[in-house]
Amino acid sequence: MFALSLSSQDQRDLARNLTTFLSQYKYISDSYIIEFFTEDLWERLPAQWREVLCGLSFPQIADLLLDTKCQEKRYPSAWPLSLLAFRATAHALSFPRRAGQGGAVDPVEEFLKNHSQSSMLSHIFRKHVKPKKQHEIRKLGSLVKQLCDQTNCEAVVDVGSGQGHLTRFLSFGLGLSVTAIEADQRLVTMATKFDEELRCTLEKEKTRDGPSDLSKSGPSPHHVVGWVNPKASWELFLRQLREAECTAAAPSPLDCSSRKRRRNSAELDQTQAPLATGPEPSALSIPFSVSATTPPPHWSTNSFGCSPHGRHSGELAGQSDKSLVLTGLHACGDLSATLLRHFVECPHVRGITSVACCYMKITTREYPSPPGLVVAPPAPALAPAPQDPLDRPRLFADDSDGCCPGAFGYPMSSWVRGLPGHGLSYKAREGACHAMEDYLERLREGSLLLRTHCYRATLETVIREARPEMRRVGVQTIKKAHLLPFTEYARLGLARLGLPPSLLLEPGRLEAMLKQEVRVVVYFSLALLLAPAVETLVLLDRIIYLQENGVKSKLLPLFDPELSPRNFVLVAMKTDC
């Protein structure tokens, strides 16, 4: 594995090389392809590059620029050394996206017989789950179980759990006690419903076939509706968990025979209603609201269900012999960074598996409020517990000041923060979320989908000439845009912005722009070539952050990137386990 071959000094040198390289080509990574014509992006490239790139076919763009596996490259003309060096450096500085690049080849064999059903996952965990997610929960679940075994943990907290697919596999499939935290009440309601369906299926199969391999199942997952504040300390995070535990209602006895009757009754019409007692919570609520599912039995309580200070007296109350593992499958934006900070600072968290996504939603000093950032709701005051060390009021990880460097999702490490040119723009981070493998397939097939780049860039020109103030305005997705003539595409796009179709430019200008489709795709591909390097810098910063705090970690390309583009998992455990 690439990350394992790097010493601490090698990691720092790689970070320095990445910042130097990416700084040199910001004019590419920070460009918006919809401004190809309005900002004359093609002319920004060196003249020698333009000369050799403009005549490439789509498959040649894939083989000569993007694909790291293509061994026999057939150049239609001699490329300038600067372009060859650009491509080679981008590839060399990026973490390999497949285990076969430095490790054992791990092809996705699980979908060879059935493209929608994993042959390596029990049928009860495939229900309601798409193939991509089946692949992810199988691979990540097994890794979490290994980490729990190595750290002697039975408790897992799954943050950003969604509909609970990973949570169910960890609990019912691997025998772990899992608490799942999700901000969206509707998703928690669905997760609880799916839990009940799975439990009923297990009961029926047990009655029919006797005990199975799933007899090792752990307790039912415990679902918590709540938002994890990236600005809050780990102490508050644990307090929120405990207060949520104290409000948990006892579940009703499992009665699978009544489920079919209820399906046709008015009760099922209320499946979207909150399961928690009391007023309906906000999807972003602090403290957490809780669904009425079974608390894990290892979180013991006194006769009132709470400790004398209003906290759960079990594992998360700070018993020295108890610990937990954090996991987050595609935890969005700052959430992944927050979980890493909790892992480093909280003595009760012994291990972590972190799969990140949505890098553009990460906060930075330059972009403290990126588009799509979820803002913390007002937090009600929590009752203090005298003489409890967890009550030390501290909001931020590094300082009590909201402007401290540690308050941002990038950079996390002191080393990267001190490197000149370490800043990553919103556009560069957004580009790092693109699916390289999917785009390679489009190029090799010469997919008509590629023309939408040129369509949107041409439409941007139309809009800006009529309304200069309307820059990069969002145009809702136009269904099957690649199959439409441009005039129809433009008519639909202008209508969505409240603009008349008469704004179209004269036909000669439009035709000249549309003929530059290959140039537009080439420029987009150059930016895409930088995307893995940007992702590598973000993840490397987190590896160095852990190393600065005395924790070694591994970065694994766990998922097949053709199924799951954000396929890296950062795994770490504390060495005193």
Side-chain angles (χ1 to χ4, degrees), residues 330-341 352 354-357 542:
H330 293 141
C332 183
D334 277 0
L335 184 54
S336 291
T338 300
L339 297 184
L340 288 172
R341 288 195 174 100
I352 186 170
S354 172
V355 184
C357 72
R542 297 175 181 184

Side-chain angles (χ1 to χ4, degrees), residues 150-279:
Q150 293 184 42
T151 56
N152 295 317
C153 293
E154 293 184 359
V156 177
V157 177
D158 180 11
V159 183
S161 54
Q163 298 179 40
H165 300 313
L166 174 62
T167 299
R168 272 184 297 283
F169 183 58
L170 292 171
S171 178
F172 293 104
L174 300 176
L176 299 170
S177 295
V178 187
T179 294
I181 304 174
E182 169 56 47
D184 191 330
Q185 169 72 63
R186 296 168 300 174
L187 296 181
V188 172
T189 301
M190 294 176 67
T192 307
K193 175 186 172 184
F194 294 160
D195 287 354
E196 183 182 5
E197 289 179 2
L198 189 148
R199 291 166 64 207
C200 287
T201 299
L202 287 176
E203 287 296 317
K204 291 177 182 178
E205 292 186 356
K206 182 178 179 181
T207 301
R208 184 187 64 212
D209 305 325
S212 67
D213 293 338
L214 293 174
S215 59
K216 64 181 179 181
S217 296
S220 296
H222 182 59
H223 295 280
V224 173
V225 181
W227 183 71
V228 178
N229 188 345
K231 305 298 186 188
S233 66
W234 67 265
E235 295 97 331
L236 181 58
F237 174 66
L238 291 191
R239 287 184 60 185
Q240 290 167 331
L241 278 177
R242 296 192 203 117
E243 295 199 3
E245 288 300 321
C246 292
T247 65
S252 57
L254 182 63
D255 183 8
C256 297
S257 62
S258 65
R259 289 186 71 251
K260 188 172 182 179
R261 293 194 300 271
R262 292 204 312 270
R263 188 175 293 114
N264 299 318
S265 70
E267 289 184 44
L268 194 64
D269 293 336
Q270 303 300 319
T271 55
Q272 296 302 314
L275 296 183
T277 57

Side-chain angles (χ1 to χ4, degrees), residues 57 61 121 194 203 212 246 252 312 324 451 470:
S57 66
I61 296 173
L121 196 64
F194 294 160
E203 287 296 317
S212 67
C246 292
S252 57
H312 230 275
L324 62 98
R451 69 168 47 159
M470 297 181 70

Side-chain angles (χ1 to χ4, degrees), residues 246-397:
C246 292
T247 65
S252 57
L254 182 63
D255 183 8
C256 297
S257 62
S258 65
R259 289 186 71 251
K260 188 172 182 179
R261 293 194 300 271
R262 292 204 312 270
R263 188 175 293 114
N264 299 318
S265 70
E267 289 184 44
L268 194 64
D269 293 336
Q270 303 300 319
T271 55
Q272 296 302 314
L275 296 183
T277 57
E280 178 178 352
S282 166
L284 306 176
S285 55
I286 298 178
F288 296 141
S289 297
V290 184
S291 61
T293 52
T294 310
H298 58 276
W299 290 0
S300 59
T301 62
N302 60 22
S303 59
F304 296 99
C306 297
S307 68
H309 296 307
R311 292 169 173 75
H312 230 275
S313 59
E315 177 166 324
L316 293 184
Q319 295 183 10
S320 60
D321 59 338
K322 298 294 184 180
S323 55
L324 62 98
V325 165
L326 286 178
T327 189
L329 176 53
H330 293 141
C332 183
D334 277 0
L335 184 54
S336 291
T338 300
L339 297 184
L340 288 172
R341 288 195 174 100
H342 289 343
F343 163 69
V344 165
E345 298 187 349
C346 178
H348 311 298
V349 181
R350 312 306 295 165
I352 186 170
T353 63
S354 172
V355 184
C357 72
C358 302
Y359 301 124
M360 66 283 194
K361 295 183 181 180
I362 295 174
T363 58
T364 67
R365 183 176 294 278
E366 298 80 11
Y367 303 90
S369 300
L373 178 70
V374 179
V375 181
L382 297 176
Q387 300 180 347
D388 188 333
L390 298 187
D391 285 327
R392 177 167 53 91
R394 184 167 63 89
L395 183 61
F396 292 94

Side-chain angles (χ1 to χ4, degrees), residues 44-56:
R44 294 185 182 183
L45 299 176
Q48 290 181 312
W49 291 24
R50 300 198 304 267
E51 183 179 346
V52 298
L53 293 175
C54 66
L56 295 180

Side-chain angles (χ1 to χ4, degrees), residues 13-33:
D13 290 343
L14 177 57
R16 182 189 293 110
N17 291 337
L18 279 164
T19 55
T20 300
F21 174 68
L22 291 172
S23 296
Q24 184 177 351
Y25 294 101
K26 277 183 178 294
Y27 72 94
I28 295 177
S29 62
D30 293 0
S31 298
Y32 289 80
I33 199 64

